[in-house]
Amino acid sequence: MTLSIPANLTVSNSVPSSLDNGSQPPVSEAEMIQAVRTLLIGLGEDPDREGLVDTPKRMVKALKFLTQGYQQSVDELLNGAVFTEDVNEMVLVRDIDIFSSCEHHILPIIGRVHVAYIPNGKVIGLSKIARICEMYGRRLQVQERLTAQIADAIEGLLKPQGVAVVVEATHMCMVMRGVQKPGSWTVTSAMRGIFSEDARTRQEFMSLVRHNPQFH
Ligand SMILES: Nc1nc2c(ncn2[C@@H]2O[C@H](COP(=O)(O)OP(=O)(O)OP(=O)(O)O)[C@@H](O)[C@H]2O)c(=O)[nH]1
Ligand SMILES: [Zn+2]
């Protein structure tokens, strides 16, 4: 049986975007392309040379792709895939690849996400967990907020006994520039409900995340 999600369900997203009310951004694509041309000139390049002539257009297209999560909502991607199910054991989807962009430098954050929850009468389509990670990942982020938003979304949708999210990521702003520390990984977690209250449940989650699966 499919449960319908209340139309007024909103999932907390503590960072307001100019797109939150569903409106179009207040600059045209042509203005964005012009801005990239200006950047290229500022870098000492000639935006009219053959190799760069389409670069502003391509860069705007790429950035729009990398931030397409602004155009998406949890309700939309869920497509009603919340099901009534009488189970109360942990569900874990681990090793969800994530490509996000850091909001300070607009450089890639590359990593993986592990999401677990303990149901309370409702389960969610497994792919929707990955889609939720994808939606919040495809925005300008800090890793801590990305982690919390994923946990809050699952909690808001399912009202489960608990939710646990761990994000492990490497930040290109710490690798390619700045402090230049390739090999550094940042691990963030968000624990809700029973995962924050009960150390054994949290421990079970962490050991499942660490377990080496048989199949890759
Ligand atoms: N907490 C947090 N910090 C981040 C994240 N991504 C980037 N940062 C940090 O944001 C900070 C911005 O610091 P600033 O001193 O304003 O910028 P900066 O001069 O470019 O800093 P450096 O990277 O140290 O060169 C840096 O310490 C980055 O490492 C993130 O996801 N979470
Ligand atoms: Zn950064």
Side-chain angles (χ1 to χ4, degrees):
M1 190 189 108
T2 305
L3 273 183
S4 61
I5 304 299
N8 61 356
L9 178 84
T10 51
V11 173
S12 79
N13 178 352
S14 56
V15 177
S17 144
S18 64
L19 306 181
D20 275 355
N21 57 10
S23 61
Q24 286 300 307
V27 288
S28 68
E29 186 149 317
E31 287 171 301
M32 294 173 80
I33 290 169
Q34 189 55 45
V36 178
R37 264 184 74 85
T38 305
L39 276 178
L40 287 170
I41 295 166
L43 294 174
E45 266 292 359
D46 169 11
D48 293 317
R49 74 174 170 83
E50 194 189 336
L52 290 180
V53 94
D54 286 329
T55 296
K57 198 168 72 184
R58 288 192 203 98
M59 186 173 169
V60 168
K61 192 175 169 196
L63 280 174
K64 282 188 168 179
F65 177 85
L66 295 172
T67 57
Q68 63 187 323
Y70 289 124
Q71 316 291 336
Q72 299 166 338
S73 72
V74 170
D75 283 2
E76 227 176 285
L77 66 81
L78 194 65
N79 195 26
V82 170
F83 313 106
T84 301
E85 206 60 59
D86 186 22
V87 289
N88 55 14
E89 299 297 334
M90 190 181 306
V91 178
L92 166 67
V93 182
R94 47 172 278 184
D95 298 315
I96 301 166
D97 285 330
I98 195 109
F99 298 96
S100 192
S101 306
C102 105
E103 71 181 17
H104 301 128
H105 304 95
I106 319 196
L107 284 171
I109 304 172
I110 302 168
R112 61 181 93 87
V113 187
H114 315 292
V115 180
Y117 70 98
I118 299 184
N120 189 17
K122 285 191 254 176
V123 297
I124 184 171
L126 293 175
S127 69
K128 308 304 181 189
I129 293 177
R131 286 187 188 280
I132 288 169
C133 297
E134 184 73 12
M135 183 188 93
Y136 287 117
R138 299 286 187 196
R139 297 179 181 192
L140 302 184
Q141 283 288 6
V142 294
Q143 188 175 326
E144 296 90 331
R145 188 171 67 239
L146 170 64
T147 312
Q149 284 176 332
I150 296 166
D152 291 344
I154 307 278
E155 189 175 45
L157 288 168
L158 300 180
K159 305 281 181 292
Q161 296 179 57
V163 184
V165 177
V166 167
V167 179
E168 306 171 282
T170 186
H171 292 238
M172 286 305 128
C173 63
M174 282 181 66
V175 171
M176 297 173 66
R177 57 156 296 287
V179 73
Q180 297 179 65
K181 290 294 170 223
S184 65
W185 284 81
T186 303
V187 183
T188 46
S189 68
M191 302 287 157
R192 305 282 186 265
I194 195 167
F195 287 96
S196 68
E197 292 148 16
D198 182 39
R200 273 179 40 201
T201 308
R202 200 162 52 240
Q203 204 49 48
E204 184 187 344
F205 165 68
M206 294 311 284
S207 68
L208 286 171
V209 164
R210 274 188 228 110
H211 173 71
N212 247 344
Q214 294 296 312
F215 304 102
H216 274 290

